[in-house]
Amino acid sequence: MTEPPDPRPIRRLDEETVRRIAAGEVVDRPSSVVKELVENAVDAGAAEVRVRLEGGGLDTISVDDDGSGIRPEDLPLAIERYATSKLARPEDLDVVVTLGFRGEALAAIGAVSRLRIISRPPGLGEAHGISLVAGQAAGAFVEARAPGTTVEVRDLFFNTPARRKFLHAPAAEQLEIASAIERLYLARPTVGLTLANEHGEMLRLAPSLTLRDACARVLGPEFLAQSFPLRSGLGGTTSFRGLLARPAISRSNAQGLFLAVNGRTVQSRTLVQAVRQAYTDYLPRGRYPVGVVHLEIEPAAVDVNVHPTKREVRIARERAVADALRRAVRDALVATPHVADRLGTSAEPEPMPPPRELSEMGEPEVVGPEPELGRAPPGVQTRLEPPGAAAVIAATGRHPALRLIGPIFDLYWLAESEGSLVLLDQHAASERVLFEQLRAAGRLARQELVAPVRLELGARRAEVLELHADDVRRAGFEVEAFGAGSYRILAVPSYRGRRVRADQLLGFLDEVADGGRPTVPDGIAERTDASIACHAAIRAGDVVSAEEIQRVVEALYALPEASYACPHGRPILIRFPRGRVDRWFLRSPG
Ligand code: ADP
Ligand code: MG
């Protein structure tokens, strides 16, 4: 490791610079405190940063680094508002090369907590510290420690009860901190980051020299297996680098797409839009690509001073940059064999075990799996053997009979019903049925796997798993820890003989971590149920038999209200009356 640089003197910013700085709240929750403190460590040239939490960060946040330290005489300035070592002249604000530059964070954090800063520049033999309570000086001290800085924040918002009320439960705050650390790491993977709580280490993100290694650590091996590289110079000093997932992996929101501009995590609708546009035709509507994109651009072309938490930046000629990004992603995507091996298929074709007795599992009757002996398990059928003969769904009081003709594109079913041509979306239909059953019965049935499937969840998903253990169980998954981020899936959701692929758990966890399907307007429970239903449903690309679709349509027809939309509002079934079909062929209706 290279030696950290010598500390630079801290100065008060002149009034002109202060006026130009985007004003606003810097810290609103524990994760923003962690973000500011880790950014300070990174700016100080640290190679390793360790974050320790108690009570999800509400009781203690302590950030420890091996960077350049703070000179003892500068300690009082460090906690003063608008005092920074990062801008020497007002013009420097136009060319910011550090993550921080406002001199606000420590003052803002100190004002709402009990703060201690202990720091030893490498040239000094001992560390000097100061402590503050609610912004008031509460002592200075000298300590022994290795070179570097520790900032300790206790009882965050203890003196601002209104703010404290808006915080989530410790487990949820802790999860947000873990996400914040992952984002920081994906933007600057050469700095090692670890996160621990009172129970031990939660995240260890070792310094990595390549984005690929960093992605493997944060996004997991299944992402890596499904990813393609993005590498593109734009002329001048602007360039993109990244790793993006093939369309087989996607999310229902933009949170799986990590953007960094010059090593700073940023949110940018324009850039996210550009990446999404590149995936048009590859992803269904409402789905977002997953991956990491780094944009390197000369610092003078980026204005980092537009948002109080530096979350957004302004990029000169942003349209042109976004256009270039869209083209670069599109080219990389088109060049990649996007019909990737399906995830988890290697673990999949195994004989289907007889389902467990309902009584033994205490499962609700409605969703009990039915024995399906003598039929190949899903996924074993090949495309060369079309599914069995057409099936007929009998008419009900409300619905005319429907004759299934066959599948197209491994997604839609062609059917004929009372003088209409019918197209049915197999995913949407099965999703709706599962959603309704979940609403009615509270959980889905499950089926034990003969050979448990091993899945790497990684630390963050493991946290989500703990936090949402109930939902995971309701969904029908039975999961067992198997050491360091590794888990064994013992049982999966099952629906009338169909077994859900174990790796669907990954997408499900990501979605509940984000609060469930955002497109479902109702409460959190409904959104979670929609996520469960989606991940347990027959998927686009699944090869299913006519009998299976028959059972889905029968269940759909049995629903109390005719619901021809899936839980996120996409249509399930579209009818084309005969007359319309005739017109396509320029026949006058008969
Ligand atoms: P900013 O990062 O915008 O300068 P802060 O309030 O976050 O403002 O920090 C104030 C100053 O304290 C920084 O400019 C830096 O000189 C010093 N400082 C803060 N944290 C560290 C650290 N971990 N290591 C070295 N110096 C630090
Ligand atoms: Mg800072």
Side-chain angles (χ1 to χ4, degrees):
M1 278 300 136
T2 50
E3 281 294 299
D6 279 339
R8 290 199 279 163
I10 302 182
R11 312 167 213 266
R12 293 191 181 93
L13 290 173
D14 61 287
E15 268 180 39
E16 185 201 335
T17 310
V18 169
R19 266 197 313 273
R20 288 177 58 198
I21 279 176
E25 290 296 338
V26 188
V27 292
D28 59 348
R29 55 186 346 109
S31 62
S32 50
V33 171
V34 169
K35 172 177 176 284
E36 292 294 335
L37 297 181
V38 172
E39 286 187 350
N40 279 346
V42 171
D43 281 345
E48 295 268 359
V49 185
R50 287 185 301 276
V51 182
R52 219 171 31 75
L53 309 175
E54 282 166 26
L58 301 176
D59 299 338
T60 309
I61 295 169
S62 153
V63 177
D64 188 81
D65 69 54
D66 54 2
S68 63
I70 304 172
R71 301 186 306 183
E73 63 270 32
D74 278 348
L75 277 173
L77 272 176
I79 49 172
E80 205 175 286
R81 203 151 177 231
Y82 305 132
T84 180
S85 57
K86 300 169 194 177
L87 300 182
R89 298 175 308 258
E91 309 86 84
D92 287 352
L93 194 51
D94 301 323
V95 194
V96 174
V97 291
T98 45
L99 296 174
F101 54 87
R102 297 197 173 114
E104 261 188 322
L106 287 181
I109 296 165
V112 292
S113 68
R114 298 177 218 279
L115 179 75
R116 267 163 61 96
I117 305 177
I118 308 115
S119 190
R120 175 181 157 196
L124 291 190
E126 63 203 355
H128 290 252
I130 50 169
S131 57
L132 282 187
V133 174
Q136 300 302 309
F141 50 92
V142 174
E143 256 183 34
R145 64 155 283 155
T149 304
T150 299
V151 179
E152 205 179 82
V153 180
R154 286 185 188 279
D155 303 327
L156 187 63
F157 302 133
F158 80 94
N159 56 341
T160 53
R163 177 64 62 78
R164 210 176 158 96
K165 257 196 298 223
F166 281 102
L167 299 182
H168 304 306
E173 293 294 345
Q174 178 173 288
L175 200 61
E176 257 186 55
I177 290 172
S179 299
I181 287 183
E182 287 179 342
R183 280 196 297 274
L184 287 160
Y185 177 73
L186 286 176
R188 204 64 87 94
T190 49
V191 180
L193 302 179
T194 55
L195 174 64
N197 63 11
E198 49 272 78
H199 309 298
E201 198 165 86
M202 293 170 57
L203 264 182
R204 169 179 289 273
L205 303 170
S208 37
L209 293 174
T210 67
L211 193 54
R212 202 180 156 76
D213 288 347
C215 286
R217 293 200 165 92
V218 176
L219 300 170
E222 71 281 354
F223 167 80
L224 218 55
Q226 290 282 1
S227 64
F228 61 91
L230 170 74
R231 204 167 289 123
S232 162
L234 269 189
T237 46
T238 307
S239 67
F240 300 111
R241 258 170 358 111
L243 213 57
L244 288 161
R246 294 183 179 122
I249 299 182
S250 67
R251 295 270 292 260
S252 59
N253 57 37
Q255 275 163 38
L257 190 59
F258 299 88
L259 298 179
V261 174
N262 294 347
R264 174 194 306 278
T265 50
V266 296
Q267 295 182 346
S268 159
R269 283 174 68 90
T270 313
L271 296 184
V272 167
Q273 237 358 71
V275 177
R276 274 192 94 186
Q277 278 166 4
Y279 276 76
T280 316
D281 307 335
Y282 287 87
L283 283 180
R285 261 211 290 171
R287 302 300 291 177
Y288 288 75
V290 171
V292 182
V293 174
H294 283 191
L295 167 60
E296 297 295 332
I297 193 165
E298 70 266 45
V302 184
D303 185 359
V304 290
N305 184 27
V306 294
H307 192 276
T309 67
K310 302 164 280 174
R311 198 150 31 83
E312 286 162 22
V313 296
R314 197 176 295 130
I315 297 169
R317 303 197 313 119
E318 190 177 41
R319 265 285 27 115
V321 171
D323 264 0
L325 176 60
R326 177 176 51 74
R327 278 195 305 272
V329 173
R330 185 71 176 190
D331 291 347
L333 181 60
V334 170
T336 200
H338 66 270
V339 189
D341 306 339
R342 293 240 189 86
L343 261 180
T345 36
S346 55
E348 205 54 11
E350 63 189 45
M352 209 159 41
R356 285 204 276 175
E357 283 299 314
L358 281 181
S359 53
E360 180 194 322
M361 300 188 293
E363 298 293 356
E365 298 277 324
V366 261
V367 286
E370 292 162 3
E372 289 256 326
L373 300 173
R375 194 169 71 79
V380 170
Q381 271 169 322
T382 69
R383 278 148 205 269
L384 297 177
E385 295 170 55
V392 174
I393 292 113
T396 66
R398 267 193 316 255
H399 306 279
L402 185 99
R403 185 171 66 89
L404 286 169
I405 298 163
I408 54 173
F409 311 140
D410 290 340
L411 170 56
Y412 303 108
W413 280 74
L414 212 54
E416 183 191 346
S417 172
E418 209 182 44
S420 292
L421 168 69
V422 172
L423 275 177
L424 182 86
D425 179 321
Q426 68 183 29
H427 172 72
S430 118
E431 192 175 13
R432 176 90 233 170
V433 168
L434 288 179
F435 179 74
E436 293 301 334
Q437 294 190 336
L438 206 51
R439 298 308 291 163
R443 62 191 303 166
L444 295 182
R446 75 177 98 172
Q447 190 168 61
E448 256 180 84
L449 296 174
V450 169
V453 174
R454 221 176 119 173
L455 270 189
E456 300 296 325
L457 293 190
R460 203 185 50 83
R461 283 195 184 118
E463 279 288 305
V464 181
L465 181 71
E466 287 238 326
L467 202 60
H468 293 276
D470 269 358
D471 292 323
V472 169
R473 226 169 296 121
R474 288 194 316 117
F477 287 104
E478 196 181 320
V479 184
E480 183 182 86
F482 200 60
S486 202
Y487 285 79
R488 293 200 318 167
I489 314 300
L490 305 178
V492 294
S494 109
Y495 168 67
R496 306 199 176 214
R498 158 166 289 270
R499 231 182 29 210
V500 170
R501 284 206 333 250
D503 62 78
Q504 284 295 303
L505 177 64
L506 301 174
F508 170 62
L509 289 177
D510 289 343
E511 228 169 77
V512 289
D514 297 338
R517 291 257 138 169
T519 40
V520 177
D522 297 310
I524 189 100
E526 291 232 308
R527 290 210 301 271
T528 304
D529 284 356
S531 292
I532 295 176
C534 176
H535 291 280
I538 295 171
R539 308 200 316 157
D542 282 352
V543 178
V544 293
S545 69
E547 304 92 82
E548 216 171 322
I549 294 300
Q550 181 183 4
R551 280 194 295 271
V552 170
V553 178
E554 278 166 0
L556 192 67
Y557 276 10
L559 293 179
E561 211 7 76
S563 316
Y564 289 151
C566 75
H568 344 88
R570 269 194 308 167
I572 289 176
L573 185 151
I574 300 175
R575 283 173 197 280
F576 303 92
R578 163 91 196 244
R580 194 137 150 225
V581 178
D582 285 339
R583 276 198 299 279
W584 292 341
F585 291 94
L586 306 177
R587 284 173 184 277
S588 45

